[in-house]
Amino acid sequence: MEVLVASATGVLVAVGVYLLLRGQTFPVIVGLTFLSYAANVFLFAIGRLAINRPPIISPDAAGYTDPLPQALVLTAIVISFGMTALIMVLALRGFLETGSDRVDLDTLDDAQAPREKPDPVRVGSPA
Amino acid sequence: MSNWIVVPAILPAMTAALLILALRHDLARQRIVSVAATAALLAITIGLFVLANDGQPRAYRLGNWPAPFGIVLVLDGLSATMLVLTSALAFLVLLYAVKGWDAQGRHFHALFQFQLLGINGAFLTGDLFNLFVFFEVMLIASYGLMLHGGGAPRLKAGFQYVAINLVASTLFLFAVGLIYAVTGTLNMADLAGKVAQVAAADQALLKSGALMLLIVFAIKAALVPLHWWLPATYASTSAPSAALFMIMTKVGAYSILRVYALIFGTEAGALAQLANPWILPAAIVSLVFGSVGMLASRTLRDLVCFWVVASMGTLLIALGTFDLAGVTAALYYLIHSTLTGAALFLLADLVAERRAQWLDRLIPAREIQRATLIGGLFFLAAIAAVGMPPLSGFIGKLMVLEALRGAPGWPLIWFAILGTSLLMIVGFARAGSTLFWKSRDANNVMEEPDRRSLLPIMVVGLLLAGTAGLSVAAGSAVRSLEGIARQALDPDPYVRAVLGADARIRAAGR
């Protein structure tokens, strides 16, 4: 079981890192999701792997598993879920406003692009 | 009295909830509540600073759960100093923002308060996992603030900023997981005792976890090569957000000091002084890289961003020594660079809003209104930033140089610090002379923007007065910071404050 969990975490991280290094927003988001899955599985395993053991006190339990990693992983899931939703919206807004889903900033010529308070009347080349 | 420790976290949370639930549509009242709450926060953090001044760390146990099982907040000199700095900066930035920036998007004040909640929590927490949680609170709010006002460049830069921070958060989780798996605790005081007792076979795991944590903090502190997000983010966000974000890089520096002095400090056995060999080289490269970036900048805001990278380099060169003189110098430079950086970002905005389509680009344009006043303030801020006398940057750099004298390779470090100061002078002089002196048409002056208020200029003046005060009162400030640095480098009182008193409670409860 240990080998399986460890290699699964490793594969998730590898996939996540690969996708993260892509140039479009959507693969980056999927890559981030894979990375956070890997982190969740990893956090779940840090309390050691055990089967059929309760995390809370019960009279007929033979032994216990560590409850803290489960609490940690719950927090981590909530946070990464919220973050994924946010970056999703951000990517979509960015795509709708610029018409491109490239991650890099080079698509905008920053010498000419409006830096502040985009105002079509005032923005132009400094003639 | 120690119940007040939780207030810097509770007050912004309550204020933000009130702002978002009750005052959603009423900007005028939002402003009143937000400014009043931040002023109250400033008063409370000053009170806490006075309380922490006796050199005794204090712990607050949420729900009175005994440490290391419950959540603790710890107030010591270091966290109290950071809290006062945060709330003072926040108060001034907020005064700047209420003159119009907050009207450019919704929920500015609520996001601002959430940001304060995250920053204050990160400074107070005594638990690594809660540090993660407060980092996230801080970051979520900062995403909102960073995007405040919208616009395509901001969205593009915002995506990168969110993505890099999500990667950092994931790394943080892996690091926390590794540390918990080896030691069975995440309470910093508890860890300080347990790290030294880790079995030899597990030390490699713990070391990986600790160094991953360093990567996370280095991303926050914009240490080269993990600084790429900073210029793009800070240059494209709104001025008040960028000014407030000055404290966020300091959260990274604070976390490095806290974790690697308390947990992996001199008493950590085989893992003692784990971070030392990594921080110094990276900090020197940050300093050089930031200064070179200043020369290549095409706008004033880019220039300030690269100055921030360089100043974090200077700060971490001193911090990376983890000795008394180094940490004292780092703390002094931290306060100085926060105030100066915020003043520079606000000045860049003052210039940009007066130059119409030229904004803050470093090209000659028509002369701006109030050029003497704003140019004078820029001159003062630049003097403080490059470290020329008489403002606090000079004293800060002098202390950094003094702290490193005799360290291995100190001639190189001195050369880096002094040589980059020259580059910074060139960068600021080029920017200042282009913006204020090279007018295209001397008779045709730019129009003053609609907001005729002097308040934004006064805010910049107050920030610079802070750096001036820091250099006038340098003697007492340094003495005070020395005590704080000594306390930060000595884990024992901290551990006793968190765990020791608690052992008595448990014994009494039985």
Side-chain angles (χ1 to χ4, degrees), chain B residues 11-36:
Chain B
L11 180 67
M14 293 296 173
T15 313
L18 177 73
L19 288 173
I20 218 163
L21 294 175
L23 305 171
R24 201 164 50 235
H25 303 297
D26 191 346
L27 188 60
R29 279 195 201 151
Q30 276 189 25
R31 285 173 176 168
I32 295 169
V33 170
S34 191
V35 170

Side-chain angles (χ1 to χ4, degrees), chain A residues 48 66 83 102 110 116, chain B residues 154 156 180-181 298 301:
Chain A
R48 309 294 183 266
D66 191 344
M83 293 292 191
R102 303 282 307 166
D110 53 72
E116 213 51 67
Chain B
R154 202 168 283 173
K156 282 278 177 187
Y180 180 81
R298 287 185 295 176
R301 227 168 307 167

